[in-house]
């Protein structure tokens, strides 16, 4: 089955990063091949059409004003954006008490303060100021060297929260940020390095408003658009299990065939890149790293309604709180269709409990929380779509990977360093907006550019 | 290539645990097949003969008095034991000062106190008493539930050391235990859960003297002995990439062929078990776990000499200290051969720096430290064998896996729970002596016993 042909570059993984790398190389005249393990391209950029005509995004969906590369891509493919619906009051539920307020907080806060006690609010926001200061002081780039790095990397975020907050609300404020929103994960605060959480806030901060806009038709339309000019170069259903390299040759062996190439770009989450057998073995630092870099724990649930019923009640469709299952949900309704869509997230230990239940119990659990946030009308949904990223073996979780303590300071440099003819891409490798489409594009572009220089 | 035959049980991995499981099933009359990825059986039980006639063990080598199953196995195969050489003074090197003393410490201490200051010694030993008390209070079995579990699992060991020691020596005392000796790892204190370190001390304590004896001929002779009665059932060079299961059938697909079986025992380190594609996906808890359970960072170096020269100097051949590369070495000389053998360990961040150097630099680095411990004669070695476990893709590190913070308390139950027809074995799964041969045998026996009951 093996061919004697030698490609210029094989790209493994047809998520956004791999597609961008492949497209750029193809446009440059390189002889490429894209191998994708799944039966579809797109990775975490994947959509679905509902019977109502509304689209939903099962993976990422938003774009923000400082995500240049993604904005460029959207312009190139003429995908139109619209402001994320946010008019109206936000909802906070804390320990069973429900507040509607004309403000918001995702770490930094805006507008009116929710109805928690002054002591609770000051506790959270004063600790946030401390956290932000520590975060601002980190050096540029991946945080694997520098004065305080090892020290910050020796604690969990949970330890820092315990040492720096006094109230249950203050504790939850950070836990929620880590578990549901980001800090580049998400993760439980007990499992993530303090350094990683600080870094996540520095390079992908909510204060830059990364969820400012949504896309008419959804992000899921993009993979086919990007792939259209080189679709004959893509093979799906071809998991790669072995890469042999040395003496200027690379052999890539999939479950279907084997291929020869000059260079290879591996555009996969790092733990999955670690599943491939490399001959010879990769340097120990890299092998050790890929054992220590788990994906975040998060399922996305998309619930659609005839219309955005919450707006009649003066609500924005954005709600947060320490409910039993859903700590964050957001209005994802496209004004062109008139359909109401709520995107809800079940993350961390909540997810781990939730996934032990039956499908109908999981649905009831989410709907029950949506009723608490938005009222009983939340029970009258049209469609319910659960996207269980942690059980997808070719992704392994969502939104992105995170670093447990000790990993950045001992082996962070191995995250993106190329090894001989092997280059890495994927949003996890980015030092700006990792876990976002922006990070996927940046690393895909960079890997393609590195390989192009070598092919010249 | 696929056969229609249906095995009773396929065992994946021919390390000690897989071999014991296979042997017990075979003796029980089960129709078995063993698939091994490497070109040899034995896993981390592997030896080598030196030109001098002396054996060395590249993996584990010792046995202790409370390791019942391993002692039984040694008796069954008539492998004779001898006391680990320890007569003479031990050496401690701390911050460049060298002490010879008639005592020892591996957490608990025995005999004479080394020449560090009284303040330093009290600091270390008082903190050890605290640590030991916390360890003793843990519940039996894998530590994933109980009162204090989540709290202990939210900190790194490094945080605990900083909070509980005042001197540099006190800090090193624990770091050394974690990095070079065990706590079920080894690991750097910054990367391991406090809970895991405490648990490691509880279920595999140095106070039980697990390195009390060595084996004439070495542990590496055992895999062939165990396999001899069913060697036709073992296939080497067959990495398994996919397991499909459901409706009472299991299909195991290797890079060479595919096989059908009623049950499967996966006897591999957990992170490697996670490299296999399962169809359908395993429960999320298991998939999440295998992303978060790295192998320890340790290389073993075996240096042989014409004779155990250190004994003429009154030294035991056992040395510890915060030298640049080697923090622990032990006399592994078999009295029957008269050859001197030192086993030295390069672990944690020391290993990670060491592995970036050339082969000759790595050798010089180790020998330079041995000279500090035992004198210039250490430079006149006969053979030098470096065993770089972290770069072995079918092991991924040594001695065993460890848990970063948050893993035990959120998903520890997934470590050994069987899933449908899939059973787990391997020393990492054991709740007693994990990382030792004893743990490998225990989990191999238990998995075979579980499957036998189902086959009845």
């Amino acid at each position: 089955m093996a061919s004697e042909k030698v490609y210029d570059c094989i790209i493994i993984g047809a998520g956004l990063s791999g597609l961008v790398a492949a497209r750029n190389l193809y446009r440059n005249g390189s002889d490429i091949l894209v191998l994708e393990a799944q039966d579809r391209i797109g990775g975490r950029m994947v959509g679905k059409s509902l019977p109502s005509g509304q689209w939903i995004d099962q993976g990422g969906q938003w774009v923000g004003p400082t995500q240049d590369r993604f904005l460029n891509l959207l312009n190139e493919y003429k995908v139109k954006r619209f402001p994320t619906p946010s008019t109206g009051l936000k909802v906070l539920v804390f320990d069973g008490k429900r507040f509607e307020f004309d403000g918001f907080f995702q770490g930094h806060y805006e507008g009116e303060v929710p109805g928690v006690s002054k002591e609770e609010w000051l506790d959270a926001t004063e600790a946030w100021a401390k956290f932000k200061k520590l975060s601002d002081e980190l050096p540029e780039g991946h945080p694997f060297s520098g004065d305080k790095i090892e020290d910050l990397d020796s604690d969990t975020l949970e330890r820092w929260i315990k040492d720096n907050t006094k109230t249950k609300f203050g504790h939850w404020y950070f836990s929620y940020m880590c578990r549901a929103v980001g800090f580049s994960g998400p993760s439980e605060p007990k499992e993530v390095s303090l350094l990683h959480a600080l870094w996540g806030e520095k390079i992908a901060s909510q204060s830059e408003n990364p969820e400012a806009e949504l896309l008419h038709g959804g992000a899921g339309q993009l993979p086919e658009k990007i792939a259209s000019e080189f679709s004959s170069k893509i093979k799906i259903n071809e998991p790669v299990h072995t890469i042999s390299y040395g003496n200027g040759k690379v052999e890539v062996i999939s479950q279907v065939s084997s291929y020869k190439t000059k260079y290879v770009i591996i555009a996969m989450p790092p733990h999955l890149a670690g599943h491939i057998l490399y001959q010879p073995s990769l340097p120990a630092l890299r092998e050790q790293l890929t054992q220590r870099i788990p994906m975040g724990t998060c399922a996305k649930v998309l619930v659609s309604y005839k219309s955005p019923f919450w707006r009649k009640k003066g609500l924005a469709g954005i709600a947060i709180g320490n409910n039993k299952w859903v700590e964050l949900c957001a209005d994802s309704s496209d004004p062109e269709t008139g359909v109401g869509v709520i995107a809800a997230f079940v993350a961390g230990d909540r997810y781990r409990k939730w996934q032990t239940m039956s499908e109908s119990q999981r649905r009831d659990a989410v709907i029950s929380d949506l009723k608490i946030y938005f009222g009983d009308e939340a029970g009258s949904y049209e469609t319910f779509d659960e996207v269980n990223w942690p059980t997808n073996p070719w992704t392994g979780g969502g939104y992105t990977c995170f670093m447990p303590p000790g990993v950045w300071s001992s082996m962070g440099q191995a995250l993106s360093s190329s090894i001989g003819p092997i280059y890495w891409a994927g949003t996890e490798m980015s030092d700006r907006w990792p876990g976002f489409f922006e990070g996927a594009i940046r690393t895909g572009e960079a890997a393609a550019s590195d390989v192009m220089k070598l092919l010249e």
Side-chain angles (χ1 to χ4, degrees), chain A:
Chain A
M1 296 286 285
S3 148
E4 285 313 298
K5 177 182 172 71
V6 180
Y7 291 94
D8 287 331
C9 187
I10 291 180
I11 297 95
I12 304 177
L16 176 57
S17 194
L19 289 174
V20 165
R23 185 201 64 171
N24 288 9
L25 282 160
Y26 178 79
R27 286 183 178 171
N28 197 51
S30 303
D31 191 4
I32 60 158
L33 175 67
V34 181
L35 297 174
E36 166 58 47
Q38 300 194 68
D39 60 4
R40 61 166 183 83
I41 63 169
R44 278 160 280 172
M45 187 176 238
V46 55
K48 181 177 169 180
S49 290
L50 301 182
S52 57
Q54 164 81 27
W55 53 271
I56 51 174
D57 271 320
Q58 297 168 296
Q61 59 181 44
W62 288 285
V63 62
T66 60
Q67 299 181 336
D68 310 337
R69 309 306 207 279
F70 190 29
L71 289 168
N72 283 349
L73 197 81
L74 294 173
N75 290 337
E76 179 178 349
Y77 291 104
K78 301 187 173 27
V79 175
K80 287 188 186 147
R81 316 188 301 268
F82 64 94
T84 301
S86 65
T87 310
L89 299 177
K90 314 297 188 303
V91 174
L92 167 68
V93 174
F94 186 68
D95 280 359
K97 284 182 225 156
R98 186 175 175 285
F99 309 101
E100 296 182 357
F101 66 113
D102 188 18
F104 196 45
F105 58 88
Q106 297 278 55
H108 72 291
Y109 58 95
E110 294 162 348
E112 194 188 6
V113 170
V116 296
S117 76
K118 193 174 172 187
E119 185 203 358
E120 288 171 320
W121 186 249
L122 276 179
D123 184 40
T125 53
E126 285 177 8
W128 181 260
K130 271 196 231 177
F131 184 84
K132 192 73 186 169
K133 183 162 181 291
L134 276 175
S135 168
D136 288 343
E137 288 165 5
L138 289 178
E140 294 300 309
H142 284 145
F144 56 77
S145 62
D147 270 0
K148 294 181 181 170
I149 292 301
E150 178 131 25
D151 210 37
L152 295 171
D153 202 27
S154 296
D155 274 329
T156 62
L157 175 61
E158 177 67 21
R159 166 52 46 202
W160 189 91
I161 301 174
K162 282 181 182 159
D163 289 348
N164 288 280
T165 63
K166 295 181 291 283
T167 65
K168 189 179 170 194
F169 179 79
H171 190 283
W172 174 77
Y173 193 93
F174 284 88
S175 307
Y176 155 79
M177 283 299 293
C178 187
R179 192 164 45 226
V181 181
F183 292 165
S184 200
S187 62
E188 288 288 341
K190 67 182 175 183
E191 59 182 345
V192 68
S193 162
L194 169 60
L195 173 67
H196 182 83
L198 291 165
W199 178 75
E201 173 59 24
K202 182 180 175 80
I203 48 73
S205 175
Q206 286 290 317
S207 63
E208 292 185 55
N209 211 0
E211 287 92 23
E213 294 181 306
L214 285 163
L215 314 178
H216 287 300
Q221 68 189 293
L222 276 157
E224 289 299 339
K225 287 183 194 280
I226 300 168
S228 61
E229 59 191 290
F230 59 96
S231 54
S232 66
K233 309 292 182 186
I234 303 175
K235 291 176 190 272
I236 59 170
N237 291 313
E238 282 220 27
V240 167
H241 59 66
T242 304
I243 294 177
S244 300
Y245 63 103
N247 298 320
K249 284 173 271 177
V250 185
E251 186 177 8
V252 175
I253 309 174
S254 80
Q255 286 179 21
V256 179
S257 190
S258 79
Y259 309 93
K260 292 191 175 58
T261 179
K262 294 175 191 158
Y263 299 97
V264 62
I265 293 174
I266 301 183
M268 297 161 69
H271 81 285
L272 286 177
H275 289 195
I276 295 171
L277 177 67
Y278 299 87
Q279 295 174 324
S281 295
L282 299 184
L285 214 61
R286 172 81 198 180
E287 293 280 8
Q288 293 263 302
L289 176 78
T290 55
Q291 294 176 22
R292 288 161 169 79
I293 185 164
M295 295 295 282
T297 308
C298 186
K300 186 177 187 185
V301 178
L302 295 136
V303 191
S304 80
Y305 298 89
K306 278 218 173 78
S307 67
F309 66 86
W310 49 88
R311 294 184 193 162
K312 288 184 211 149
K313 308 168 82 168
L315 298 178
I318 298 172
I320 58 183
N322 67 350
N323 270 350
K324 196 164 177 190
W325 308 106
V326 175
E327 284 187 297
L328 170 65
C329 41
D331 189 332
S332 306
S333 318
D334 188 333
E336 286 186 350
T337 66
V339 173
V341 176
I342 294 289
F345 298 91
V346 185
D349 283 345
R350 284 169 169 80
Y351 168 84
R352 286 184 275 258
K353 266 182 227 151
W354 183 75
Q355 58 84 32
T356 64
M357 305 193 295
S358 71
E359 195 178 334
S360 66
Q361 287 173 322
R362 293 198 298 273
R363 190 183 57 232
D364 292 349
V366 168
I367 294 298
S368 156
D369 274 2
L370 294 191
K371 285 183 186 173
I372 296 173
Y373 287 126
F374 301 119
D376 284 347
E377 301 97 312
S380 306
Y381 56 87
E382 299 275 302
T383 60
F384 184 96
D385 283 86
E386 166 192 318
V387 196
N388 199 335
W389 286 108
T391 58
N392 177 326
W394 299 113
T395 308
Y399 322 121
T400 187
C401 68
F402 68 89
M403 298 290 202
V407 180
W408 273 123
S409 55
S410 281
M411 55 199 102
Q413 72 223 70
L415 180 60
S416 56
S417 304
S418 61
I419 297 166
I422 303 171
Y423 285 74
W424 312 106
T427 190
E428 285 74 19
M429 256 62 66
S430 190
D431 63 5
R432 184 83 165 109
W433 297 113
F436 290 78
F437 292 138
E438 177 74 8
I441 299 168
R442 283 173 178 249
T443 56
E445 286 177 351
S449 164
D450 287 344
V451 170
M452 270 180 227
K453 280 176 209 148
L454 296 162
L455 287 169
E456 266 166 18

